[in-house]
């Protein structure tokens, strides 16, 4: 009777889990990402695998612990006969299992984490592309040091323009971070990676460079400041625009060419528009939009008029 009840509870829990997953319309891949975005770099995939492994390992341990807890509560309640259930203190096998098993699990988690972290943090002697990331309250400037055109190319975000960091797919990219004022954080969710951007990284003893092996697909990916850095922190967005290597090389060249209308070298938006490759080359950010700087002013003038 009791066994049947327990079996039924297990079946209902299993059924509820299946319904929860299938009713949400999630694919198997989405389910095992456990809420993480789909990464676009090999390192992102590695980190996602680590995350999936850790969550599944935690769930296995959790289900065993919850199952034992429920089993104990239901089947070993205090009964009227006053008899104690079987006692297990000083049981060497139980104690060995409860010490050795968690130690093995923690060592495994630690080892796997170190392997992934080392790969994510590894330096590359000769990256294909170098990018400078300069953060300031409350925007970003991106530079392309040692680029093949030999010219100074930089993209500066303003209150009205989201800066677009154009990058190539299928090439290794080294990012060097620097801040002009306070601590910011460079975060691209699709890279599954963020790193604090310190002023004076050397003095602060910070490793301010990181490398991604490659971006695996073309597209627009939002980037954000992930460190509360002042009043307009939430407006400190940018966009990574990943283009094929061929388009990227043309983009860099276009950035050095003088725009016949403005008389100065093409801006990021103008160079993207000149590439003429549809939405991928949209001259403005498509994943985020600039902060509406006028709204405070408008609010103030309404207050003045009333
Ligand atoms: Cu910031």
């Amino acid at each position: 009777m009791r066994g049947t009840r327990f079996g039924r509870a297990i079946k209902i829990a299993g059924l509820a889990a299946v319904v929860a997953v299938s009713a949400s319309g999630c694919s198997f891949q989405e389910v095992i990402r456990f809420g993480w975005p789909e990464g676009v770099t090999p390192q992102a995939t590695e980190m996602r695998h680590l995350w999936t492994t850790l969550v599944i390992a935690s769930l296995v341990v959790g289900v065993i612990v919850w199952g034992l807890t429920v089993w104990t509560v239901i089947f070993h309640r205090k009964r009227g006969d006053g008899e104690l259930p079987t006692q297990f203190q000083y049981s060497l096998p139980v104690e060995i299992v409860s010490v050795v098993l968690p130690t093995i699990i923690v060592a495994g988690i630690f080892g796997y984490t170190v392997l992934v972290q080392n790969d994510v943090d590894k330096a590359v002697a000769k990256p294909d592309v170098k990018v400078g990331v300069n953060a300031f309250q409350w925007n970003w400037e991106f530079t392309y040091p040692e680029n093949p055109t030999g010219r100074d190319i930089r993209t500066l975000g303003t209150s009205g323009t989201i800066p677009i960091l154009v990058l190539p797919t299928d090439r290794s990219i080294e990012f060097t971070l620097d801040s002009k004022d306070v601590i910011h954080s460079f975060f691209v969710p699709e890279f599954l990676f963020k790193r604090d951007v310190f002023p004076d990284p050397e003095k602060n003893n910070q490793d301010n460079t990181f490398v991604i092996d490659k971006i695996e697909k073309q597209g627009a990916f939002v980037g954000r400041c992930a460190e509360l850095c002042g009043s307009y922190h939430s407006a400190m967005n940018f966009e990574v625009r990943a283009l094929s290597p061929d388009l990227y090389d043309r983009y860099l060249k276009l950035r050095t060419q003088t725009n016949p209308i403005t008389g100065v070298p093409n801006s990021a938006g103008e160079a993207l528009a000149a590439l003429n490759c549809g939405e991928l080359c949209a001259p403005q950010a498509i994943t985020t939009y600039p902060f509406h700087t006028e709204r405070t002013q408008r609010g103030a003038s309404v207050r003045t008029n009333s």
Side-chain angles (χ1 to χ4, degrees):
M1 171 72 186
R2 273 174 191 160
T4 318
R5 221 172 11 163
F6 189 60
R8 207 185 301 150
I10 298 263
K11 271 186 209 155
I12 290 171
L15 194 65
V18 170
V19 169
V21 168
S22 51
S24 66
C26 295
S27 70
F28 177 70
Q29 282 301 322
E30 279 172 298
V31 170
I32 61 164
R33 282 209 309 271
F34 296 107
W36 274 28
E38 205 169 336
V40 295
T41 68
Q43 280 99 335
T45 306
E46 260 187 276
M47 284 185 275
R48 211 270 298 151
H49 287 163
L50 173 68
W51 164 246
T52 295
T53 308
L54 295 194
V55 174
I56 289 174
S58 312
L59 279 175
V60 169
V61 173
V63 166
I64 292 171
V65 172
W66 300 325
L68 286 174
T69 309
V70 171
W71 174 70
T72 313
V73 167
I74 294 177
F75 298 106
H76 295 283
R77 293 193 299 264
K78 187 178 179 188
R79 296 204 193 91
D81 54 17
E83 243 183 73
L84 277 176
T86 321
Q87 301 296 295
F88 285 100
Q89 69 263 46
Y90 311 118
S91 163
L92 197 59
V94 169
E95 289 190 9
I96 287 177
V97 168
S98 62
V99 170
V100 171
L101 203 61
T103 307
I104 292 172
I105 293 171
V106 170
I109 289 172
F110 180 79
Y112 187 13
T113 307
V114 168
L115 285 179
V116 173
Q117 184 174 300
N118 284 350
D119 197 49
V120 171
D121 275 346
K122 72 173 185 293
V124 172
K126 282 203 170 166
D128 299 326
V129 175
K130 286 187 176 182
V131 174
V133 174
N134 300 315
F136 59 95
Q137 286 170 317
W138 288 277
N139 224 310
W140 303 87
E141 183 191 48
F142 302 111
T143 61
Y144 295 84
E146 299 170 39
N147 74 72
T149 70
R151 304 269 290 276
D152 182 33
I153 299 174
R154 47 189 68 226
T155 302
L156 178 66
T158 66
S159 308
T161 318
I162 295 288
I164 300 176
L165 172 56
V166 178
L167 295 173
T169 57
D170 302 316
R171 287 182 184 168
S172 60
I173 304 165
E174 182 188 81
F175 298 79
T176 301
L177 313 177
D178 204 352
S179 165
K180 288 196 170 93
D181 35 53
V182 298
I183 302 171
H184 302 272
S185 185
F186 179 88
F187 177 39
V188 179
E190 267 82 1
F191 292 176
L192 297 186
F193 184 89
K194 64 181 164 190
R195 177 160 293 174
D196 277 6
V197 185
F198 277 68
D200 208 344
E202 251 175 63
K203 196 171 154 197
N204 283 301
N205 199 21
Q206 194 222 13
D207 178 7
N208 66 327
T209 61
F210 68 93
V211 179
I212 54 175
D213 286 342
K214 60 178 175 178
I215 299 176
E216 288 162 332
K217 61 174 188 186
Q218 296 192 104
F221 312 109
V222 72
R224 303 186 190 282
C225 175
E227 178 71 50
L228 182 58
C229 60
S231 303
Y232 297 101
H233 156 70
S234 65
M236 208 171 143
N237 294 339
F238 61 96
E239 180 170 297
V240 167
R241 194 73 67 80
L243 304 179
S244 67
D246 172 51
L247 281 174
Y248 172 76
D249 290 340
R250 280 171 54 205
Y251 167 82
L252 284 186
K253 243 179 236 144
L254 280 161
R255 288 297 308 269
T256 65
Q257 290 169 7
T258 304
N259 185 301
I261 299 166
T262 61
V264 292
N266 285 312
S267 66
E270 288 161 352
L272 280 166
L275 283 176
N276 198 19
C277 65
E279 201 191 23
L280 195 60
C281 297
Q284 276 157 358
I286 50 180
T287 56
T288 182
Y289 49 86
F291 183 68
H292 201 328
T293 49
E294 279 179 14
R295 66 183 183 181
T296 319
Q297 222 177 356
R298 205 183 300 150
S301 65
V302 168
R303 272 199 299 277
T304 316
N305 294 340
S306 59

